């Protein structure tokens, strides 16, 4: 008899402890921008510096050709205009604004057609 009442009391305590209300915020927000999750509204490619990450904002980059002895090519290097920023030195993803290109710096996506907006197809 004692064993039955002990098991009944134990199961009642277990059920009571599982019945508490959850006070945490939901883990997923459907409107949250997927491109700037670490720092809301900041361009993740240049981290808000507005500089091209390929040439470090200089507009020119150094290209190094490796040494390939089997093809009789010796190591050489030359400098060229950065093809990623067209020699301007600004971030190609945010256009030199420093804000996220998908959410316009708000951290939230209001319309999921941001890819067509980025390509210039909006309203066509």
């Amino acid at each position: 008899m004692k064993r039955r009442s002990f098991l009944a009391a134990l199961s009642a305590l277990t059920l009571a402890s599982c019945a508490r209300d959850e006070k945490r915020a939901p883990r997923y927000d459907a409107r949250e921008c997927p491109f700037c999750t670490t720092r809301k509204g900041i361009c993740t490619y240049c981290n808000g510096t507005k500089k091209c990450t390929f040439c470090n904002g200089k507009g020119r980059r150094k290209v190094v050709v490796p040494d390939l002895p089997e093809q009789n090519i010796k190591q050489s290097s030359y400098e060229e205009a950065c093809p990623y920023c067209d020699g301007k030195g600004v971030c190609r993803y945010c256009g030199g604004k420093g804000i996220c290109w998908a959410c316009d710096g708000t951290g939230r996506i209001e319309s999921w057609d941001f890819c067509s907006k980025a390509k210039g197809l909006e309203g066509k």
Side-chain angles (χ1 to χ4, degrees):
M1 187 71 174
K2 289 182 182 181
R3 188 180 308 167
R4 277 191 210 162
S5 38
F6 174 73
L7 290 176
L10 185 63
S11 62
L13 283 173
T14 305
L15 289 175
S17 65
C18 292
R20 66 178 180 200
D21 291 333
E22 195 65 41
K23 292 186 169 87
R24 286 185 288 182
R27 297 182 117 193
Y28 175 72
D29 183 9
R31 293 283 182 201
E32 184 178 27
C33 180
F35 297 99
C36 60
T37 55
T38 54
R39 293 173 59 197
K40 302 284 184 226
I42 305 294
C43 176
T44 56
Y45 300 101
C46 68
N47 287 320
T49 62
K50 304 175 187 177
K51 295 191 301 185
C52 176
T53 56
F54 298 98
C55 66
N56 219 9
K58 296 175 184 168
R60 300 192 62 74
R61 68 182 192 140
K62 185 176 183 179
V63 180
V64 178
V65 179
D67 190 22
L68 301 171
E70 62 272 356
Q71 297 176 0
N72 291 330
I73 298 175
K74 298 194 187 234
Q75 182 177 1
S76 64
S77 64
Y78 60 94
E79 205 170 282
E80 69 176 1
C82 181
Y84 300 103
C85 66
D86 295 326
K88 298 174 188 168
V90 297
C91 177
R92 69 184 288 191
Y93 300 103
C94 66
K97 296 177 186 174
I99 60 175
C100 178
W101 64 273
C103 66
D104 292 325
T106 61
R108 299 185 57 76
I109 298 290
E110 299 304 322
S111 174
W112 283 97
D113 64 345
F114 52 83
C115 288
S116 61
K117 178 183 82 168
K119 293 179 183 176
L121 301 175
E122 189 172 302
K124 291 183 182 178

